[in-house]
Amino acid sequence: MKIKTRLFFLLLICVINLSAQNKIRIYGYVIDTNNRGIELANVYFENSTIGTSTNVNGYYELLTEIGDSATIVYSMVGFKTFKHTIYPKQKILQISVELPSIAKEMSDVEVIAQRRQTSTLDYLDVSKLRLMPNSSGGIESLLITFAGVSQNNELSSQYTVRGGNFDENIVYVNGIEVYRPLLIRAGQQEGLSFINPDMVSSVAFSSGGFDAKYGDKMSSVLDIEYKKPAKTESSASISLLGASAYVGTAGNKFTQMHGIRYKTSAYLLGTLDTQGEYNPSFVDYQTYLTYQLKPKLELTFLGNFSQNIYNFVPQTRETKFGTYNMGRNLKVWFEGQEKDLFRTMFGAFTANYQPSNKTKLSFLASAFHTNENETYDILGEYTLSEVKMDLKEENKIGEALGIGKYQEYARNRLKATVVNIAHLGEYNIDNHKMRWGANLQFENIVDKISEWEWRDSAGYSLPFSDQRVQLYYNMKAKSDLQSLRTTAFFQDTYKKNTAAGFLTVTGGLRLNYWTFNNELLLSPRFSMSFFPHWKRDFTFRFATGVYYQAPFYKEIRDTLTDALGNVNIQLNTDIKAQRSLHFVFGGDHYFRAWGRPFKFTTEAYLKLADRVETYTVNNVRIRYSGENDAKAYTAGVDFKLYGELVPGTDSWINFSLMNSKEDIIGDSYMNKTYGDEGKVLTSETVYPGWVSRPNEQRYSFSLMFQDYLPNNPKYKVNMKFIWSDGLPFGAPRNVQYRAAFRAPAYRRVDIGASRVLMNGTDRFMDRSWLKHVKSIWLNIEVFNLLDFKNVNSYYWVTDIYNHQYAVPNYLTGRQLNVKLMVDFK
């Protein structure tokens, strides 16, 4: 059977490669006299219709059949035309040419704007990363291409930026802020993110120091623009993790896009330590419609419906942890189940009016509604045992160190509605571009929480009391919030080309007022960039400003514990927005090596924060203290090398160093020493001072590499590698050991291999039933190729000696995925 299978695949490869026989591949770069790539240059065979255009780096590629000789023509408006005759004796030729300029005057401003980063906002070409292995399915996994971004959970689309948490990142789609469900506590529940990759035209991202037009968050901004199809286009994909379909059409005045996605992570969750019946089902539908009512007036609508269902019946769990000399094994038997439902709806109308070439006006109205239900009742009985170093498997489990039970219960329900009306404007005059905006937002949130956890160790309830049975954790509350929030901003960008270089300066002011705490926020922001007229290609930029984390619902929940240990929630009307002063200084060096373009980026940053709310992170759930109880700072430097390690493909290497600390105001604990009889000998008050913040990653390294077979570029390989520092953690409800430990480093290698079948170049596509198919991609992915045991969080248990153990909750192991993508004409 194995022999037949191998013969089948060999035959299949031979058939697929048949179309590539007797063809020659020619590739290279078209550059100017300054060693910069020329975009959109024409490269074609003389006296034929075979040709192509260069990309933004000046790269081109031709694949055709030729006879004894052929002449290739290189041309571009403003440059001399160059002709090159080839006499091919090989199937692969690399030809790079330099075109001298013939234009008397070139617009330096336009050239710089196309090729240089004039602010802390950087851009990403999503189409180039379509084949990158991606277990979450969201576009957020591509954000590791930007310096300072970290992802330590492949089950989640959430990301952290320069020491901040998930809630400190703001996301816009077509200028409208989008939200995510509030109750999600684990990556398994998360499902699909709002952004549909099939509908995206551009991705812009800033890791800090962003302009005043972007909202009140302290870490980052992700600005997504959905495309307007120019013609009918459609695509579909299916894999072991889900499926998606997309269609877009364009008429004289009306364009439309529709995208539907389905995801199920049951196959991926099967690699977790906890075994059981996983039944997740995530569905998302989006539409984007535009109508050109008049030449100067356009109407648009963006709509979304999303439903995440997560059903789980756990059965058993076995986790081995510890060191070689002191190994431990936790075995758990479960009863009960979990049923979660997260349903969100979003709609936004926009009217875009352009009275003149210098003025653009937009009026927006949007509404977001989420209905979330989190219910579980799970009983676990566990045994904590020694692990012996024995060659025989049956002898490895040694003496039992602890036996206990625990029960986790929750009936949590949340409904939230956010309605927003806004105006945006833009005016261009001379070297100035002025932008302004204002919006009014209504928020209505109803939250009902009922959750508790009971623990029993060796027949005693924890925490132990000889008076009554106590719960380990208990929270019950009902909150109702209605509030108004208004924001406004104004900013001006000034550009000037001088003898020394090209200068861009942006200054702005942002205002925010919330009726809940009656706080007015003023956020001045400033940035500048300079492109010196040096022989070597450098750019420099600097940004600073005051940034606020305008509190939403989770930040204002102040927990109060009564004498019986019951935890209640009170909405803190005295809460203040967290405040941070940013300094960002960076630069880019553009150069060519081995005839290929590269960019080396360095950015150093410092963030000084006060009025900070401390928080804890468990999986993806963030629990705030509900008070402005700390001060903090974050400093670091990011390095990024981006370029074509392989001609025609983009690859990059990121390396970051960071130091992020916080100091809780007035916190302390008693350090006691005891005698032989248990009497206290000495007692000392200790003030912990500065400790690591929950998302401090002291170092982070990521690599994305793309390659292809030289003699057949239709075979491609994509690899993603991450190695980042583990996050700090400590014993629960313990000031002394807060952030005292650190999880192991997060290491992961994902790899994907693909083959494309193109209509017109592959004989397999000549069949009549494939006449409407443009291309077919077959992609084979291996997630966590080296099967690293990455830790997501910890569960604490106690043995018979009253020793606490942090049992790691491991993430997914090695898994194979097969994906088929079809693009239609």
Coordinates of all heavy atoms in Angstrom, one line a residue, residues 340-396:
D340 N -20.5 28.1 25.9 CA -20.4 29.5 25.7 C -20.9 30.0 24.4 O -20.9 29.3 23.4 CB -18.9 29.9 25.8 CG -18.2 29.5 27.1 OD1 -18.9 29.5 28.1 OD2 -17.0 29.1 27.0
L341 N -21.5 31.2 24.4 CA -22.1 31.8 23.2 C -21.7 33.3 23.2 O -22.0 34.0 24.1 CB -23.6 31.6 23.1 CG -24.3 32.3 22.0 CD1 -23.8 31.8 20.6 CD2 -25.8 32.2 22.1
F342 N -21.1 33.7 22.1 CA -20.7 35.1 21.9 C -21.3 35.5 20.5 O -20.8 35.0 19.5 CB -19.2 35.3 21.9 CG -18.6 34.8 23.2 CD1 -18.1 33.5 23.2 CD2 -18.5 35.6 24.3 CE1 -17.4 33.0 24.3 CE2 -17.9 35.1 25.5 CZ -17.4 33.8 25.5
R343 N -22.2 36.4 20.5 CA -22.9 36.9 19.3 C -22.8 38.4 19.2 O -23.2 39.1 20.1 CB -24.3 36.4 19.3 CG -25.1 36.8 17.9 CD -26.5 36.3 18.0 NE -26.6 34.8 18.0 CZ -27.3 34.1 18.8 NH1 -27.9 34.7 19.8 NH2 -27.3 32.8 18.7
T344 N -22.2 38.8 18.1 CA -22.0 40.3 17.9 C -22.5 40.7 16.5 O -22.5 39.9 15.6 CB -20.5 40.7 18.0 OG1 -19.8 40.0 16.9 CG2 -19.9 40.3 19.3
M345 N -23.0 42.0 16.5 CA -23.5 42.6 15.3 C -22.9 44.0 15.2 O -22.8 44.7 16.2 CB -25.0 42.6 15.3 CG -25.6 41.2 15.1 SD -27.4 41.3 15.3 CE -27.6 41.5 17.1
F346 N -22.6 44.4 13.9 CA -22.0 45.7 13.7 C -22.5 46.2 12.4 O -22.6 45.5 11.4 CB -20.5 45.6 13.7 CG -19.8 46.9 13.4 CD1 -19.5 47.8 14.3 CD2 -19.3 47.1 12.1 CE1 -18.9 49.0 14.0 CE2 -18.7 48.2 11.7 CZ -18.4 49.2 12.7
G347 N -22.8 47.6 12.3 CA -23.2 48.2 11.1 C -22.7 49.6 11.1 O -22.7 50.3 12.1
A348 N -22.2 50.1 9.9 CA -21.7 51.5 9.8 C -22.1 52.1 8.5 O -21.8 51.5 7.4 CB -20.2 51.5 10.0
F349 N -22.7 53.3 8.5 CA -23.0 54.0 7.3 C -22.0 55.2 7.2 O -21.8 55.9 8.2 CB -24.5 54.5 7.3 CG -25.5 53.5 7.1 CD1 -26.1 52.9 8.2 CD2 -25.9 53.1 5.8 CE1 -27.0 51.9 8.0 CE2 -26.8 52.1 5.7 CZ -27.4 51.5 6.8
T350 N -21.6 55.5 6.0 CA -20.6 56.6 5.8 C -21.0 57.3 4.5 O -21.4 56.7 3.5 CB -19.2 56.1 5.6 OG1 -18.8 55.3 6.8 CG2 -18.2 57.3 5.5
A351 N -21.0 58.7 4.6 CA -21.2 59.5 3.5 C -19.9 60.3 3.2 O -19.5 61.1 4.1 CB -22.4 60.5 3.7
N352 N -19.3 60.1 2.1 CA -18.0 60.8 1.8 C -18.3 61.8 0.7 O -18.8 61.5 -0.4 CB -17.0 59.8 1.2 CG -16.6 58.7 2.2 OD1 -16.4 59.0 3.4 ND2 -16.6 57.5 1.8
Y353 N -18.0 63.1 1.0 CA -18.3 64.2 0.1 C -17.0 65.0 -0.1 O -16.3 65.3 0.8 CB -19.3 65.1 0.8 CG -19.7 66.4 -0.1 CD1 -20.2 66.2 -1.3 CD2 -19.5 67.6 0.5 CE1 -20.5 67.3 -2.1 CE2 -19.8 68.8 -0.3 CZ -20.3 68.6 -1.6 OH -20.6 69.7 -2.3
Q354 N -16.7 65.2 -1.4 CA -15.5 65.9 -1.8 C -15.9 67.1 -2.6 O -16.0 67.1 -3.9 CB -14.6 65.0 -2.6 CG -13.2 65.6 -2.9 CD -12.3 64.6 -3.5 OE1 -12.6 63.4 -3.7 NE2 -11.1 65.0 -3.8
P355 N -16.1 68.3 -1.9 CA -16.6 69.5 -2.7 C -15.5 70.0 -3.6 O -15.8 70.7 -4.6 CB -16.9 70.5 -1.5 CG -16.1 70.0 -0.4 CD -16.0 68.5 -0.5
S356 N -14.2 69.7 -3.3 CA -13.1 70.2 -4.2 C -12.0 69.2 -4.1 O -12.0 68.3 -3.3 CB -12.7 71.6 -3.8 OG -12.1 71.6 -2.6
N357 N -11.0 69.5 -4.9 CA -9.8 68.6 -4.9 C -9.0 68.7 -3.6 O -8.2 67.9 -3.2 CB -8.9 68.9 -6.1 CG -9.5 68.5 -7.4 OD1 -10.3 67.6 -7.5 ND2 -9.1 69.2 -8.5
K358 N -9.2 69.9 -2.9 CA -8.5 70.1 -1.7 C -9.2 69.7 -0.4 O -8.6 69.6 0.7 CB -8.2 71.6 -1.6 CG -7.2 72.1 -2.7 CD -6.9 73.6 -2.5 CE -6.0 74.1 -3.5 NZ -5.7 75.6 -3.3
T359 N -10.5 69.4 -0.5 CA -11.3 69.2 0.7 C -12.0 67.8 0.6 O -12.6 67.5 -0.5 CB -12.4 70.3 0.8 OG1 -11.7 71.6 0.8 CG2 -13.1 70.2 2.1
K360 N -12.0 67.1 1.7 CA -12.8 65.9 1.8 C -13.5 65.9 3.2 O -13.0 66.2 4.2 CB -11.8 64.6 1.8 CG -11.0 64.5 0.5 CD -10.1 63.3 0.6 CE -9.3 63.1 -0.6 NZ -8.4 61.9 -0.5
L361 N -14.8 65.5 3.1 CA -15.6 65.5 4.3 C -16.3 64.1 4.4 O -16.8 63.6 3.4 CB -16.7 66.6 4.2 CG -16.2 68.0 4.0 CD1 -17.3 69.0 3.8 CD2 -15.3 68.5 5.2
S362 N -16.4 63.6 5.6 CA -17.0 62.3 5.8 C -18.0 62.4 7.0 O -17.6 63.1 8.0 CB -16.0 61.2 6.1 OG -15.2 61.0 4.9
F363 N -19.1 61.8 6.9 CA -20.1 61.7 8.0 C -20.4 60.2 8.3 O -20.8 59.5 7.3 CB -21.3 62.5 7.7 CG -21.1 63.9 7.4 CD1 -20.8 64.4 6.1 CD2 -21.0 64.9 8.4 CE1 -20.5 65.7 5.8 CE2 -20.8 66.2 8.2 CZ -20.5 66.6 6.9
L364 N -20.2 59.8 9.5 CA -20.3 58.4 9.9 C -21.3 58.1 11.0 O -21.5 59.0 11.9 CB -19.0 57.8 10.3 CG -17.8 58.0 9.4 CD1 -17.0 59.3 9.7 CD2 -16.8 56.8 9.5
A365 N -22.0 57.0 10.9 CA -22.9 56.6 12.0 C -22.7 55.0 12.1 O -22.8 54.3 11.1 CB -24.4 56.9 11.7
S366 N -22.5 54.6 13.3 CA -22.2 53.1 13.5 C -22.9 52.6 14.8 O -23.1 53.4 15.7 CB -20.7 52.8 13.5 OG -20.1 53.5 14.6
A367 N -23.1 51.3 14.8 CA -23.6 50.7 16.0 C -23.0 49.3 16.2 O -22.8 48.6 15.2 CB -25.2 50.6 15.9
F368 N -22.7 49.0 17.4 CA -22.1 47.7 17.8 C -22.9 47.1 18.9 O -23.2 47.8 19.9 CB -20.6 47.9 18.2 CG -20.1 46.6 18.8 CD1 -19.6 45.6 18.1 CD2 -19.9 46.5 20.2 CE1 -19.1 44.4 18.7 CE2 -19.4 45.4 20.8 CZ -19.0 44.4 20.0
H369 N -23.3 45.8 18.8 CA -24.0 45.1 19.9 C -23.4 43.7 20.1 O -23.1 43.0 19.1 CB -25.5 45.0 19.5 CG -26.3 44.2 20.5 ND1 -26.6 44.8 21.8 CD2 -26.7 43.0 20.6 CE1 -27.3 43.9 22.5 NE2 -27.4 42.8 21.8
T370 N -23.2 43.4 21.3 CA -22.7 42.1 21.7 C -23.6 41.4 22.7 O -24.0 42.1 23.7 CB -21.2 42.1 22.1 OG1 -20.8 40.8 22.5 CG2 -21.1 43.0 23.4
N371 N -23.8 40.2 22.6 CA -24.6 39.4 23.6 C -23.8 38.1 23.9 O -23.5 37.3 23.1 CB -26.0 39.0 23.0 CG -26.8 38.2 24.0 OD1 -26.5 38.1 25.1 ND2 -28.0 37.8 23.5
E372 N -23.3 38.1 25.1 CA -22.3 37.1 25.5 C -22.8 36.3 26.7 O -23.3 36.8 27.7 CB -21.0 37.8 25.9 CG -20.5 38.7 24.8 CD -19.2 39.5 25.2 OE1 -18.5 39.0 26.1 OE2 -18.9 40.5 24.6
N373 N -22.6 35.0 26.6 CA -23.0 34.0 27.7 C -21.9 33.1 27.9 O -21.5 32.4 27.0 CB -24.3 33.3 27.3 CG -25.5 34.2 27.2 OD1 -26.2 34.5 28.1 ND2 -25.8 34.7 25.9
E374 N -21.4 33.0 29.1 CA -20.4 32.1 29.5 C -20.9 31.2 30.7 O -21.2 31.7 31.8 CB -19.1 32.9 30.0 CG -18.0 32.0 30.3 CD -16.8 32.8 30.9 OE1 -17.0 33.7 31.7 OE2 -15.7 32.5 30.5
T375 N -21.1 29.9 30.4 CA -21.6 29.0 31.4 C -20.8 27.8 31.5 O -20.5 27.2 30.5 CB -23.1 28.7 31.1 OG1 -23.1 28.0 29.9 CG2 -24.0 29.9 31.0
Y376 N -20.4 27.4 32.7 CA -19.7 26.2 32.9 C -19.9 25.7 34.3 O -20.1 26.5 35.3 CB -18.2 26.3 32.6 CG -17.4 27.4 33.3 CD1 -16.9 27.2 34.6 CD2 -17.2 28.6 32.7 CE1 -16.2 28.1 35.2 CE2 -16.5 29.6 33.4 CZ -16.0 29.4 34.6 OH -15.3 30.4 35.3
D377 N -19.8 24.4 34.5 CA -19.9 23.7 35.8 C -19.1 22.5 35.7 O -19.5 21.5 35.2 CB -21.4 23.4 36.2 CG -21.5 23.0 37.6 OD1 -20.4 22.8 38.3 OD2 -22.6 22.8 38.1
I378 N -17.8 22.5 36.2 CA -16.9 21.4 35.9 C -16.3 21.0 37.3 O -15.8 21.9 38.0 CB -15.8 21.9 35.0 CG1 -16.4 22.2 33.6 CG2 -14.7 20.8 34.8 CD1 -15.4 22.7 32.6
L379 N -16.3 19.8 37.6 CA -15.7 19.2 38.8 C -14.5 18.4 38.3 O -14.6 17.6 37.4 CB -16.7 18.3 39.5 CG -16.2 17.5 40.7 CD1 -15.8 18.4 41.8 CD2 -17.2 16.4 41.1
G380 N -13.4 18.6 39.0 CA -12.2 17.9 38.8 C -11.6 17.2 40.0 O -11.6 17.8 41.1
E381 N -11.2 15.9 39.9 CA -10.5 15.2 40.9 C -9.1 14.9 40.5 O -8.9 14.3 39.4 CB -11.3 13.9 41.3 CG -12.7 14.2 41.7 CD -13.4 12.9 42.1 OE1 -12.7 11.8 42.2 OE2 -14.6 12.9 42.3
Y382 N -8.1 15.3 41.3 CA -6.7 15.2 40.8 C -5.9 14.5 41.8 O -6.1 14.4 43.0 CB -6.2 16.6 40.6 CG -5.9 17.5 41.8 CD1 -4.7 17.3 42.5 CD2 -6.9 18.4 42.2 CE1 -4.5 18.1 43.7 CE2 -6.7 19.2 43.3 CZ -5.5 19.0 44.1 OH -5.3 19.8 45.2
T383 N -4.8 14.0 41.2 CA -3.7 13.3 42.0 C -2.4 13.9 41.5 O -2.1 13.9 40.3 CB -3.7 11.8 41.8 OG1 -4.9 11.3 42.2 CG2 -2.6 11.2 42.5
L384 N -1.6 14.4 42.5 CA -0.3 14.9 42.2 C 0.7 13.9 42.7 O 0.8 13.5 43.8 CB -0.1 16.3 42.9 CG 1.3 17.0 42.7 CD1 1.5 17.4 41.3 CD2 1.4 18.1 43.7
S385 N 1.6 13.5 41.7 CA 2.5 12.4 42.1 C 3.9 12.7 41.6 O 4.2 13.6 40.8 CB 2.1 11.1 41.3 OG 0.7 10.8 41.6
E386 N 4.9 12.0 42.2 CA 6.3 12.1 41.8 C 6.4 11.4 40.5 O 5.7 10.5 40.1 CB 7.2 11.4 42.8 CG 7.3 12.1 44.2 CD 8.3 11.3 45.1 OE1 8.4 10.1 44.9 OE2 8.9 12.0 45.9
V387 N 7.4 11.8 39.7 CA 7.8 11.2 38.5 C 9.3 10.7 38.7 O 10.2 11.4 38.9 CB 7.8 12.2 37.3 CG1 8.3 11.5 36.0 CG2 6.4 12.7 37.1
K388 N 9.4 9.3 38.6 CA 10.7 8.7 38.8 C 11.4 8.6 37.5 O 10.8 8.4 36.4 CB 10.5 7.3 39.5 CG 9.9 7.4 40.9 CD 9.8 5.9 41.4 CE 9.3 6.0 42.9 NZ 9.2 4.6 43.4
M389 N 12.7 8.6 37.5 CA 13.6 8.4 36.4 C 13.8 6.9 36.2 O 14.7 6.3 36.6 CB 14.9 9.1 36.5 CG 14.8 10.6 36.7 SD 14.0 11.4 35.3 CE 12.3 11.8 36.0
D390 N 12.8 6.3 35.5 CA 12.9 4.8 35.3 C 12.7 4.6 33.8 O 11.9 5.2 33.1 CB 11.8 4.1 36.1 CG 12.1 2.6 36.2 OD1 12.1 1.9 35.2 OD2 12.3 2.2 37.4
L391 N 13.4 3.6 33.3 CA 13.2 3.3 31.9 C 11.9 2.7 31.5 O 11.4 2.8 30.4 CB 14.4 2.3 31.4 CG 15.8 2.9 31.5 CD1 16.8 1.8 31.1 CD2 15.9 4.1 30.6
K392 N 11.3 2.0 32.5 CA 10.0 1.4 32.3 C 8.9 2.4 32.5 O 8.8 3.0 33.6 CB 9.8 0.1 33.2 CG 10.8 -1.0 32.9 CD 10.5 -2.2 33.8 CE 11.4 -3.3 33.4 NZ 11.2 -4.5 34.3
E393 N 8.0 2.5 31.6 CA 6.9 3.5 31.7 C 6.0 3.3 32.9 O 5.6 4.2 33.5 CB 6.0 3.5 30.4 CG 5.1 4.6 30.3 CD 5.8 6.0 30.0 OE1 6.9 6.0 29.5 OE2 5.2 7.0 30.5
E394 N 5.7 2.0 33.2 CA 4.8 1.7 34.3 C 5.4 2.1 35.7 O 4.7 2.1 36.7 CB 4.4 0.2 34.3 CG 5.5 -0.8 34.4 CD 6.2 -1.2 33.1 OE1 5.9 -0.4 32.1 OE2 6.9 -2.2 33.0
N395 N 6.7 2.2 35.7 CA 7.4 2.5 37.0 C 7.7 4.0 37.2 O 8.3 4.4 38.2 CB 8.7 1.8 37.1 CG 8.5 0.3 37.2 OD1 7.4 -0.2 37.6 ND2 9.4 -0.5 36.7
K396 N 7.3 4.9 36.2 CA 7.7 6.3 36.3 C 6.8 7.1 37.3 O 7.3 8.0 37.9 CB 7.6 6.9 34.9 CG 8.7 6.5 34.0 CD 8.6 7.3 32.7 CE 9.8 6.9 31.7 NZ 9.8 7.7 30.5

